[in-house]
Amino acid sequence: MRNSTRSGVDPFIVMDVMEAARKAEEAGRQIIHMEVGQPGTGAPKGATEALAKAMEQGPLGYTVALGLPALRRRIAQMYGEWYNVDLNPERVVVTPGSSGGFLLAFTALFDSGDRVGIGAPGYPSYRQILRALGLVAVDLPTAPEHRLQPVPADFAGLNLQGLMVASPANPTGTMLDRSAMGTLIEAAQGQGASFISDEIYHGLEYEAKAVTALELTDECYVINSFSKYFSMTGWRVGWMVVPEDHVRVVERIAQNMFICAPHASQVAALAAMDCDEELQANLNVYRRNRALMLDGLPKAGFTNIAPPDGAFYVYADVSDLTDDSRAFAAEILDKVGVAVTPGLDFDPQRGHGTIRFSYARSTGDIEEGLRRLQRFMADRGLISAQA
Ligand SMILES: Cc1ncc(COP(=O)(O)O)c(C=O)c1O
């Protein structure tokens, strides 16, 4: 049997790194995980307790396709609390993770062959999902002076039907401030391109509050998730906010593609939204880890980094050290047992000279990881041993 052309998507390289790390652990080595893009913590206690209760009370069958009305209302309320945005709950669509949101958004907005701009470096699955849907992902190489976020000049005249941004971004953790987000929205709309804002790392900010595209326009799709701030990756639940006149279109697609997001996860997610104390404690761990990384990475010789405003990543330019980030990451894992992600996942052109460090795990792990990275670089003669 043949496979479709559009199924020829690339693997997620970080998964290969995780597998190599797992094998090393199986062989008895103790590995520090700086490759993973997920919290080391689980769902907040209040969320699991609410689910335990719900499991006793009913069968947790299908919900309606747009999601539990109480959850949609609570998400809308959060926009008032976090951003002072008055949001109609009818515009909220609960999705199977933000990944499910991408499928819904791309299907609702684009026709085969449409061109969608994505910043490079960026989250790899944008490109692969677009390709699998018969759409054209147009890489927009971003500049260090724009903190690796796209600017209107990057897509002027490119005839895009869509523009996708992320703030805070993966892999860089950099954010778009209100004016940068505003000029992107204006330029995209001026070109007739639909604007999609991936806001999955909102809540994980260290200097300033992230701006939601909804503060600036209603004519956009906002995609978010319970995976990161709410620490619920495996629960597969997220949400989208869409313009009022798109709700029915998205509902019809969601009914057919997914029926609904997992009911149990929706129950847990609703309760998680009232677990701020626990979630803020997680955030404080990331804040401490980030400070350690910003101090420790340059000392270890990783001096060329984009200062991260949010998320839990640091993206480092290592092109002065290697032109093969995959081999470099494999060597770090082999020599000192630290797993990191090669930049090729995020930027097919320039990623051979970059790597991403995640600081989502415990502070003890981060301290140990930094010590080992320093040793690796000293052994390679790239820094002095007493650095
Ligand atoms: C920028 C970005 N968007 C989306 C996702 C997918 O998240 P979800 O678990 O909500 O599908 C990730 C996962 O790491 C991500 O980094």
Side-chain angles (χ1 to χ4, degrees):
M1 272 192 299
R2 68 181 279 278
N3 279 121
S4 63
T5 319
R6 65 183 176 176
S7 63
V9 301
D10 297 332
F12 205 168
I13 297 171
V14 69
M15 298 295 180
D16 296 343
V17 177
M18 285 165 81
E19 176 55 14
R22 192 196 60 76
K23 276 197 183 128
E25 278 169 338
E26 210 171 59
R29 293 188 67 193
Q30 195 243 338
I31 302 300
I32 298 292
H33 291 276
M34 288 188 165
E35 84 283 27
V36 285
Q38 66 176 336
T41 49
K45 241 200 179 74
T48 50
E49 283 168 5
L51 176 57
K53 219 180 271 172
M55 283 170 68
E56 279 168 15
Q57 283 165 1
L60 297 176
Y62 296 136
T63 69
V64 289
L66 293 173
L68 291 174
L71 179 57
R72 295 170 70 205
R73 280 197 300 274
R74 183 65 186 86
I75 291 169
Q77 182 191 324
M78 194 195 82
Y79 281 87
E81 293 162 0
W82 282 23
Y83 314 101
N84 211 14
V85 165
D86 182 15
L87 180 67
N88 176 358
E90 298 291 321
R91 292 176 57 194
V92 177
V93 182
V94 180
T95 60
S98 68
S99 304
F102 299 145
L103 280 172
L104 288 173
F106 297 162
T107 310
L109 291 170
F110 306 122
D111 284 311
S112 301
D114 277 359
R115 294 159 54 80
V116 181
I118 53 173
Y123 179 58
S125 301
Y126 302 149
R127 183 179 308 107
Q128 311 305 344
I129 297 174
L130 287 166
R131 194 183 292 171
L133 291 176
L135 303 166
V136 180
V138 180
D139 273 332
L140 308 174
T142 59
E145 58 271 30
H146 301 130
R147 310 189 65 247
L148 300 176
Q149 287 279 3
V151 294
D154 295 334
F155 56 92
L158 287 188
N159 182 30
L160 300 181
Q161 282 72 51
L163 176 70
M164 171 107 209
V165 302
S167 167
N170 179 4
T172 59
T174 63
M175 297 199 314
L176 295 163
D177 64 18
R178 178 183 289 268
S179 127
M181 176 84 88
T183 53
L184 285 173
I185 292 172
E186 206 173 296
Q189 290 174 348
Q191 203 176 104
S194 301
F195 189 80
I196 307 173
S197 180
D198 180 349
E199 302 185 354
I200 186 171
Y201 291 103
H202 278 221
L204 301 178
E205 307 114 355
Y206 307 103
E207 305 285 348
K209 183 93 200 83
V211 174
T212 172
L214 294 168
E215 290 172 51
L216 297 152
T217 182
D218 285 323
E219 283 301 300
C220 65
Y221 276 38
V222 163
I223 301 184
N224 208 322
S225 172
F226 288 91
S227 288
K228 309 291 171 163
Y229 174 70
F230 296 97
S231 191
M232 294 176 63
T233 48
W235 297 72
R236 311 311 305 133
V237 58
W239 73 88
M240 284 205 301
V241 180
V242 303
E244 240 150 51
D245 58 347
H246 284 234
V247 174
R248 181 64 184 145
V249 178
V250 172
E251 182 179 29
R252 288 196 308 253
I253 303 167
Q255 287 168 340
N256 287 287
M257 272 193 183
F258 307 117
I259 301 188
C260 64
H263 189 160
S265 304
Q266 294 190 55
V267 170
L270 177 59
M273 298 189 84
D274 290 319
C275 295
D276 245 10
E277 206 175 304
E278 191 176 334
L279 298 172
Q280 287 296 315
N282 293 347
L283 180 62
N284 286 336
V285 174
Y286 305 142
R287 181 174 282 119
R288 170 99 187 100
N289 292 353
R290 172 179 178 263
L292 287 169
M293 295 292 270
L294 292 181
D295 179 56
L297 284 176
K299 281 187 186 155
F302 298 99
T303 47
N304 206 348
I305 54 183
D309 307 306
F312 32 53
Y313 308 115
V314 179
Y315 197 55
D317 183 337
V318 289
S319 55
D320 53 335
L321 308 175
T322 182
D323 57 6
D324 184 347
S325 57
R326 230 190 235 238
F328 191 65
E331 193 185 337
I332 296 175
L333 181 64
D334 181 45
K335 296 270 163 59
V336 291
V338 178
V340 301
T341 307
L344 279 172
D345 247 352
F346 312 103
D347 188 337
Q349 256 80 49
R350 298 175 296 178
H352 46 259
T354 56
I355 51 177
R356 185 194 74 176
F357 300 96
S358 164
Y359 53 88
R361 293 302 171 109
S362 73
T363 301
D365 274 11
I366 299 304
E367 285 166 340
E368 173 62 14
L370 286 168
R371 270 193 295 274
R372 292 187 190 190
L373 288 170
Q374 226 173 68
R375 197 167 73 231
F376 172 80
M377 295 290 267
D379 288 350
R380 250 179 157 241
L382 296 167
I383 54 168
S384 64
Q386 59 275 42

